[in-house]
């Protein structure tokens, strides 16, 4: 394929992926709406202020933001054709993503250990599913980046791999945006009351 | 090991046992015939693994046709029950079975007939009408189809093993919650819809990108055929609405599987939340179905009046207005929720407003016919029938948009009659018109006109006979989903009339099947060329039946009604052939489907290892496919030239 054809194909995938991200946005929108309705429905269980530990969540947030920053650098390296740097930076992205996910899971298991699982109240159901859906997306992203690391090592920075890396970067940024909303709507507004 | 699946799940009542044995025997016969005629390889190579949207479209159509017959069988049982079950008589069905039947009827007709046919037409018509060879993402298209297939499989499996949901076609909680529906029925419903719904969402993305990025050179947005505009409206709605369905079904299933409390009536759950969410998807869904039907009528009326469509720009504006407004009316499905007078007034007004762009379209069609050379072919008959029924149903809809009236007729057969008028008289008539219109393009011969007319008149008369009594019954207070009523109410005669109407509709369906068979037998006599109706849009510029690559040389568009323009200017298609790229066949789509089927079945029956294997298989298959760089095949220039020079019919 010549560069013009590559650009045409990329263009198609870019639009398709953006549209997919918007549908995902609506999925989260539905979950946010549900959370907003159910946040007060604690049924005698804990409220938001009782269970959220802000320093811990802030650390989680900073790790995820750093991971996205590194991911952006990785894409710059990939576009410059620097394969080793690409692998290092996307590898770092992955490690930070794993750290984020581990922290989220530890928060979940701590809550469950205290008897505050999703079965306790509608508020907790909405909390676990909203935050957990984001976590599941992170997991999907981690699988994606692992596959890409293998492929880039095997086949180098081909036009196809470059496209896939740039779509991954879009996805990772998108998850960052969603997390900012979760951080604000769920955590900050939760403890502010 | 096998979760909740036990041998008892296969034991059925008499009626269901008939369906069960019929399905199993029918399946075995088909498999046997495929072995006998050694057709497996052909089936695999030409159909199952094909990424050609025309092939995929035809497969959608076949599944949808079977589902129409299934949905019709449900209708017969419901009509028989309601005609008989008055006073001391209890009819043929138990209450529980009756509830399963109407739940299945609604679900199947909307998700697996109507959605199936619109995706069939998207696949068959959209690429060629915009002068493209393919959709934007051919492999994703195949995955969409096979996920739809999984939905069809899961919605019919209850006939063989287990039971279906008895909670209505939208499964309102708390009835659909674990407490009141402990069996597998609601889970069948959830996962059939969830899996098929993800397929629909992927199709929506695919066709949006196709329309935006794959149009022939020169085809600006305002030069697109109206059908493509209507598809653009429809897929935009899919993209906005289906994620809400995915989230909602996900939450309902979590309520049932892991004990969350989104929609339960205790622990702070909120069932009305579900009703809001499901209709925030459900109302746009209605327009997802009707917009393509509007598009079909626009093409047909212009072609058979021999004129340009009247008011193209206002048509586009109307489509966009409907697309937007359809998201502002969902609350009219539950005015009785108690949201308060102001909220109800807002949604009532918005509902009435949406009738305005719809009215614009009807007038545009009528003005297109005005002073045209109208040919009264079968597609035009469907159109004229549609104008009558759709206007009738539309007026009933505007009546019900007034909250005060809605409080009176809410949950009655008046409502049932209204939405059937829209879906049968609107969507279904539109599809029948479109299928008759486009059939010769893909088959190479016309459908028998006389039998087509018989079918039309049976459908129209049968429809009115079946549903006018329901309007009356609704006003008399007959509630929907009723399996028995007191004989003193005097309703039985009207129910019997409605049953007669359905029998006439069945006669119409019989004529349609006969029409297909007779047309195939007489195909030599009804052979047609590439342009049997003197068409206006680019699909008629393809050869008949179309080649895999649609156009040997992509057409250049200068005007609306591009093909009409070419014929006026006596422009011959260019012969500067080039190498053509087409996607290679791929078996991964069907494998993804089968893995999703295993996963769905596993979740429904709590066979967790099966669910896990299915899910991991989907993941691995997608990774294999999405990291593959070898997906295209080249048809060399010489081969294209040879194919193009062959006489039509010799292929």
């Amino acid at each position: 394929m010549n560069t013009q054809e590559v650009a045409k194909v990329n263009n198609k995938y870019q639009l398709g992926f953006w549209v997919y991200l918007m549908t995902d946005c609506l999925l989260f929108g539905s979950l946010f709406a549900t959370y907003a309705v159910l946040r007060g429905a604690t049924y005698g269980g804990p409220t938001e202020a009782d269970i959220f530990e802000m320093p811990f969540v802030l650390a989680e947030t900073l790790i995820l933001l750093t991971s996205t920053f590194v991911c952006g650098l990785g894409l710059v390296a990939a576009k410059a054709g620097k394969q080793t740097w690409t692998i290092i930076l996307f590898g770092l992205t992955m490690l930070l993503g794993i750290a984020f996910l581990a922290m989220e899971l530890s928060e979940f298991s701590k809550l469950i250990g205290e008897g505050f699982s999703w079965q306790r109240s509608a508020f907790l159901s909405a909390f676990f599913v909203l935050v957990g859906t984001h976590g599941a997306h992170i997991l999907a992203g981690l699988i994606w980046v692992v596959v890409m690391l293998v492929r880039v090592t095997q086949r180098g920075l081909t036009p196809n791999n470059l496209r896939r890396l740039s779509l991954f970067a879009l996805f990772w940024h998108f998850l960052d945006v969603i997390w900012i909303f979760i951080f604000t709507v769920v955590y900050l507004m939760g403890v502010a009351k | 090991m096998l979760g909740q699946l036990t041998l008892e799940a296969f034991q059925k009542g008499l009626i269901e046992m008939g369906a069960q044995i019929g399905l199993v025997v029918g399946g075995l016969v088909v498999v046997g015939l495929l072995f006998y005629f050694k057709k497996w390889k052909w089936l695999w190579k030409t159909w199952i693994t094909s990424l050609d949207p025309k092939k995929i479209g035809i497969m959608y159509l076949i599944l949808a046709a079977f589902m129409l017959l299934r949905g019709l069988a449900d209708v017969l049982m419901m009509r028989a029950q309601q005609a008989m079950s008055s006073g001391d008589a209890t009819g043929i069905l138990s209450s529980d079975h009756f509830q399963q039947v109407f739940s299945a009827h609604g679900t199947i007709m909307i998700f697996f007939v109507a959605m199936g046919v619109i995706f069939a037409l998207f696949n068959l018509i959209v690429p060629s009408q915009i002068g493209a060879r393919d959709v934007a993402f051919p492999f994703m298209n195949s995955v969409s189809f096979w996920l739809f297939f999984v939905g069809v499989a899961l919605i019919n499996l209850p006939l063989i093993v287990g039971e279906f949901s008895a909670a209505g076609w939208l499964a309102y909680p708390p009835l659909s919650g674990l407490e009141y529906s402990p069996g597998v029925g609601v889970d069948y419903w959830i996962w059939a819809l969830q899996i098929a719904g993800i397929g629909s969402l992927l199709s929506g993305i695919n066709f949006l990108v196709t329309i935006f990025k794959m149009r022939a050179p020169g085809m600006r947005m305002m030069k697109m055929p109206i059908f493509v505009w209507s598809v653009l409206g429809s897929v935009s709605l899919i993209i906005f609405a289906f994620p809400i369905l995915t989230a909602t079904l996900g939450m309902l299933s979590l309520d049932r599987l892991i004990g969350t409390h989104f929609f339960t009536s205790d622990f702070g759950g909120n069932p009305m939340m579900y009703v809001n969410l499901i209709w925030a998807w459900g109302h746009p869904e209605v327009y997802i179905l009707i917009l393509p039907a509007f598009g079909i009528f626009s093409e047909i009326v212009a072609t058979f009046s021999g004129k340009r469509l009247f008011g193209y720009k206002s048509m586009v504006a109307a489509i966009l207005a409907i697309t937007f407004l359809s998201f502002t009316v969902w609350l009219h499905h539950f005015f009785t929720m108690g949201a308060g007078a102001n909220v109800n007034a807002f949604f009532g007004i918005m509902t009435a407003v949406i009738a305005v762009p719809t009215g614009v379209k009807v007038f545009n069609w009528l003005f297109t016919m005005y002073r045209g050379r109208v040919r009264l072919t079968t597609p035009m008959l469907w159109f004229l029938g549609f104008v009558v029924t759709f206007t009738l149903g539309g007026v009933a809809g505007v009546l019900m948009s007034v909250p005060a009236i809605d409080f009176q007729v809410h949950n009655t057969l008046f409502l049932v009659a209204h939405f059937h008028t829209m879906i049968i008289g609107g969507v279904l008539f539109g599809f029948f018109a479109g299928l008759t219109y486009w059939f010769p393009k893909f088959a190479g011969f016309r459908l028998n006109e006389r039998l087509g007319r018989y079918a039309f008149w049976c459908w129209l008369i049968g429809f009115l006979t079946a549903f006018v009594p329901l309007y009356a019954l609704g006003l008399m207070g007959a509630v929907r989903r009723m399996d028995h009523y007191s004989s003193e109410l005097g309703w039985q005669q009207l129910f019997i009339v409605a049953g007669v109407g359905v029998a006439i509709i069945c006669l119409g369906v019989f004529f349609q099947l006969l029409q297909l068979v007779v047309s195939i037998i007489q195909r030599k006599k009804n052979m047609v060329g590439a342009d049997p109706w003197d068409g206006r849009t680019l699909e008629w510029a393809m050869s008949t039946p179309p080649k895999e690559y649609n156009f040997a040389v992509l057409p250049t568009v200068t005007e609306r009604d591009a093909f009409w323009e070419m014929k006026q200017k006596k422009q011959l298609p260019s012969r500067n052939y080039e190498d053509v790229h087409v996607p290679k066949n791929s078996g991964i789509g069907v494998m993804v489907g089968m893995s999703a089927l295993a996963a769905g079945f596993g979740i429904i029956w709590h066979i967790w290892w099966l669910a896990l294997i299915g899910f991991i298989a989907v993941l691995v298959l997608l990774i294999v496919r999405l990291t593959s760089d070898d997906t295209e095949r080249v048809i060399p220039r010489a081969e294209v030239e040879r194919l193009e020079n062959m006489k039509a019919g010799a292929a």
Side-chain angles (χ1 to χ4, degrees):
Chain A
M1 282 198 292
N2 59 35
T3 40
Q4 214 182 353
E5 278 167 6
V6 170
K8 220 173 150 186
V9 170
N10 283 354
N11 208 309
K12 222 166 52 176
Y13 277 90
Q14 293 274 356
L15 177 64
F17 200 76
W18 269 105
V19 177
Y20 152 70
L21 288 181
M22 293 306 102
T23 65
D24 222 3
C25 206
L26 285 157
L27 181 97
F28 278 108
S30 310
L31 296 177
F32 271 108
T34 308
Y35 183 81
V37 170
L38 297 179
R39 70 191 315 163
T42 52
Y43 203 69
T47 63
E48 295 130 300
D50 297 339
I51 53 171
F52 296 155
E53 292 170 27
M54 291 315 285
F56 186 81
V57 182
L58 184 65
E60 248 183 303
T61 308
L62 290 176
I63 287 174
L64 191 65
L65 291 181
T66 314
S67 147
T68 309
F69 177 67
V70 177
C71 170
L73 292 181
L75 192 62
V76 173
K79 282 186 176 159
K82 294 179 174 150
Q83 188 169 337
T84 321
W85 273 108
T86 308
I87 291 171
I88 292 173
L89 288 165
F90 277 101
L92 198 56
T93 307
M94 178 192 74
L95 291 177
L96 289 166
I98 292 174
F100 170 86
L101 200 60
M103 287 180 79
E104 187 172 307
L105 287 176
S106 85
E107 186 196 4
F108 280 7
S109 72
K110 184 162 161 281
L111 284 175
I112 295 169
E114 288 167 3
F116 302 148
S117 80
W118 52 80
Q119 300 185 338
R120 180 62 190 84
S121 70
F123 153 62
L124 282 167
S125 302
F127 166 76
F128 272 101
V129 171
L130 173 57
V131 179
T133 305
H134 178 268
H137 278 71
I138 293 282
L139 180 64
L142 288 174
I143 295 173
W144 188 354
V145 78
V146 169
V147 172
M148 283 322 298
L149 286 173
V150 174
R151 277 303 192 221
V152 171
T153 314
Q154 283 174 336
R155 293 181 194 167
L157 293 167
T158 60
N160 277 341
N161 279 344
L162 265 182
R163 185 188 70 230
R164 288 164 190 150
L165 283 175
S166 72
L167 295 184
F168 168 77
L170 266 181
F171 184 66
W172 208 246
H173 278 78
F174 166 75
L175 292 184
D176 225 16
V177 174
I178 296 290
W179 181 258
I180 295 299
F181 274 93
I182 291 180
F183 185 62
T184 313
V185 173
V186 175
Y187 290 101
L188 285 180
M189 286 164 72
V191 293
K193 277 191 288 189
Chain B
M1 183 69 186
L2 286 178
Q4 301 183 330
L5 187 59
T6 54
L7 268 183
E8 280 95 68
F10 289 91
Q11 289 163 3
K12 297 277 181 184
L14 200 60
I15 297 179
E16 280 186 287
M17 203 151 79
Q20 183 185 30
I21 294 171
L23 267 181
V24 172
V25 172
L28 287 177
V29 167
V30 170
V31 170
L33 286 176
L34 283 167
F35 272 116
Y36 184 78
F37 290 106
K38 297 196 176 66
K39 285 287 187 188
W40 276 109
K41 205 171 165 188
W42 165 82
L43 188 68
W44 179 259
K45 281 199 159 167
T46 11
W47 293 97
I48 292 177
T49 61
S50 175
L51 300 192
D52 181 349
K54 295 181 286 297
K55 294 264 172 62
I56 291 177
I58 290 169
M59 290 195 285
Y60 267 115
L61 214 50
I62 292 169
L63 281 186
F66 275 108
M67 286 302 97
L68 179 68
L69 296 180
R70 159 83 209 268
L72 204 62
D74 293 334
V75 175
L76 289 174
M77 285 192 275
M78 285 189 284
R79 278 284 139 262
Q81 174 75 13
Q82 290 191 326
M84 287 149 68
S85 175
S86 174
D88 294 334
T90 54
I92 49 169
L93 302 176
S94 67
S95 288
D96 181 58
H97 191 189
F98 183 77
Q99 286 158 12
Q100 290 185 38
V101 170
F102 70 64
S103 304
H105 168 76
T107 311
I108 286 176
M109 288 302 199
I110 295 289
F111 283 92
F112 300 110
V113 179
M115 289 301 272
V117 185
I118 71 164
F119 285 129
L121 289 176
F122 289 5
N123 271 291
L124 288 168
I125 308 301
V126 169
S128 54
Q129 266 198 347
I130 60 172
R133 292 194 174 120
D134 208 335
V135 295
F137 307 111
F139 168 71
M140 196 162 94
N141 198 20
S142 161
V143 171
S144 291
F145 169 75
W146 286 106
L147 293 182
F148 176 80
F149 177 90
V150 173
V152 169
L154 285 179
I155 210 90
N156 284 291
L157 264 176
L159 289 177
I160 297 176
V161 50
E163 51 173 8
F164 190 63
S165 164
W169 82 284
L170 282 184
Y172 283 7
L175 177 59
S176 58
L178 207 52
E179 197 182 346
Y180 302 103
S181 298
V184 293
V186 176
D187 298 304
Y188 265 124
W189 180 85
I190 289 174
W191 290 99
L193 262 54
Q194 187 69 296
I195 293 173
I198 289 170
S200 306
L201 184 57
L202 294 178
S203 275
I205 297 174
N206 207 343
F207 281 93
L208 187 92
V209 177
T210 304
I211 294 172
F212 275 130
K213 295 286 176 190
M214 310 271 288
R215 296 192 309 276
M219 186 180 278
R220 316 254 296 269
M221 293 296 273
M222 289 309 277
K223 288 181 180 161
M224 295 195 310
I226 282 287
F227 179 70
V228 177
W229 269 108
S230 73
V231 174
L232 186 59
S234 176
V235 294
S236 307
L237 288 175
I238 290 177
I239 286 164
F240 277 99
F242 270 76
I244 308 176
L245 178 72
T246 308
T248 312
L249 292 175
M251 287 188 271
L252 182 64
S253 84
L254 288 178
D255 272 3
R256 295 177 59 85
L257 288 174
I258 64 166
T260 53
H261 295 287
F262 287 106
F263 310 126
T264 54
S265 37
D266 51 5
F267 286 91
N270 189 340
M272 279 322 290
M273 183 76 204
Y274 178 90
V275 178
N276 269 286
L277 283 169
I278 201 83
W279 281 114
W281 158 82
H283 197 84
E285 166 69 12
V286 179
Y287 289 91
I288 290 169
L289 301 177
I290 195 72
L291 280 176
F294 289 164
I296 293 168
F297 285 132
S298 304
E299 301 296 329
I300 285 173
V301 171
T303 300
F304 291 108
S305 304
K307 274 175 66 185
R308 270 176 83 145
L309 187 72
F310 181 89
Y312 177 91
K313 282 181 188 160
S314 62
M315 220 51 150
V316 172
I319 288 170
L320 296 179
I322 291 173
T323 304
F324 174 75
L325 288 174
S326 65
F327 274 102
T328 61
V329 299
W330 81 89
L331 195 126
H332 70 211
H333 294 273
F334 43 95
F335 279 141
T336 50
M337 174 173 78
N342 288 341
V343 173
N344 279 1
F346 171 80
F347 282 95
I349 291 167
M350 293 317 280
T351 307
V353 164
I354 209 167
V356 175
T358 317
V360 167
K361 298 175 82 73
V362 173
F363 283 115
N364 278 343
W365 293 317
L366 296 180
F367 285 134
T368 306
M369 287 175 70
Y370 179 66
R371 292 202 167 167
R373 288 172 175 272
V374 179
R375 287 174 283 163
L376 271 187
T377 51
T378 327
M380 276 307 270
L381 285 181
W382 287 113
F383 167 72
L384 293 172
F386 152 86
V387 172
V388 174
T389 52
F390 199 75
T391 309
L392 178 79
V395 170
V398 174
L399 265 179
M400 280 190 298
S401 77
V402 180
I405 296 179
D406 185 80
F407 269 67
Q408 297 302 312
V409 294
H410 168 83
N411 207 36
T412 66
L413 289 175
F414 188 86
L415 166 76
V416 172
H418 159 69
F419 69 71
H420 280 86
T421 317
M422 304 319 259
I423 302 267
I424 296 178
V427 178
L428 209 58
F429 282 14
F431 292 159
F432 290 152
L435 294 178
T436 323
Y437 176 58
W438 280 305
F439 184 87
K441 179 87 254 171
F442 297 95
F445 54 91
R446 271 186 229 219
L447 286 170
N448 186 305
E449 275 283 316
R450 172 182 296 198
L451 287 168
R453 280 200 296 274
Y454 290 174
F456 164 74
W457 286 110
C458 287
W459 265 97
L460 184 69
I461 294 167
F463 166 76
L464 291 172
T465 319
F467 286 97
V468 171
L470 295 197
Y471 280 110
L473 281 164
L475 290 176
M476 288 154 75
V479 293
R480 64 196 291 203
R481 296 168 177 161
M482 177 181 60
D483 61 64
H484 184 258
Y485 49 91
S486 160
S487 55
E488 289 152 25
L489 292 163
W491 291 347
Q492 196 168 20
Q493 290 91 333
L494 285 172
F495 273 118
I496 291 173
V497 173
V500 171
V502 168
I504 303 175
I505 290 179
C506 285
L507 191 64
V509 173
F510 169 75
F511 278 126
Q512 285 174 310
L513 294 175
L514 189 68
Q515 180 193 29
L516 188 64
V517 173
V518 168
S519 306
I520 290 174
I521 292 172
Q522 299 179 337
R523 64 185 177 280
K524 287 261 157 55
K525 209 174 79 186
N526 295 319
M527 219 52 117
V528 291
D531 182 23
W533 309 112
D534 202 7
R536 312 179 69 83
T537 39
L538 281 176
E539 75 271 28
W540 304 108
M542 299 189 296
S543 62
T544 288
K547 307 277 195 317
E548 184 184 2
Y549 46 76
N550 292 359
F551 303 97
V553 177
L554 292 181
T556 307
V557 176
T558 52
E559 270 304 319
R560 259 173 235 162
D561 291 353
F563 182 52
W564 183 262
E565 202 60 26
M566 288 174 192
K567 286 191 288 189
Q568 294 318 97
K569 291 183 185 158
K570 304 232 175 339
Q571 245 174 32
L572 289 172
S574 157
R575 302 179 67 83
N576 296 327
Y577 300 129
E578 286 180 330
D579 292 354
V580 171
H581 296 259
V582 291
K584 280 184 181 169
N585 279 12
S586 167
I588 296 185
V590 62
M591 288 189 243
V592 168
M594 294 309 115
S595 310
L597 180 61
F601 191 78
I603 297 175
I604 290 165
W605 288 98
H606 297 190
I607 311 172
W608 301 118
W609 57 268
L610 184 64
L612 193 68
I613 290 176
F615 185 73
I616 291 174
V618 170
L619 212 59
V620 170
L621 286 165
L622 289 181
I623 289 173
V624 167
R625 169 72 197 196
L626 294 178
T627 58
S628 147
D629 290 326
D630 175 31
T631 56
E632 278 194 346
R633 179 164 64 86
V634 176
I635 304 178
R637 198 177 72 94
E639 173 70 5
V640 173
E641 195 160 357
R642 191 184 67 79
L643 287 169
E644 289 300 308
N645 288 336
M646 264 195 316
K647 278 210 185 98

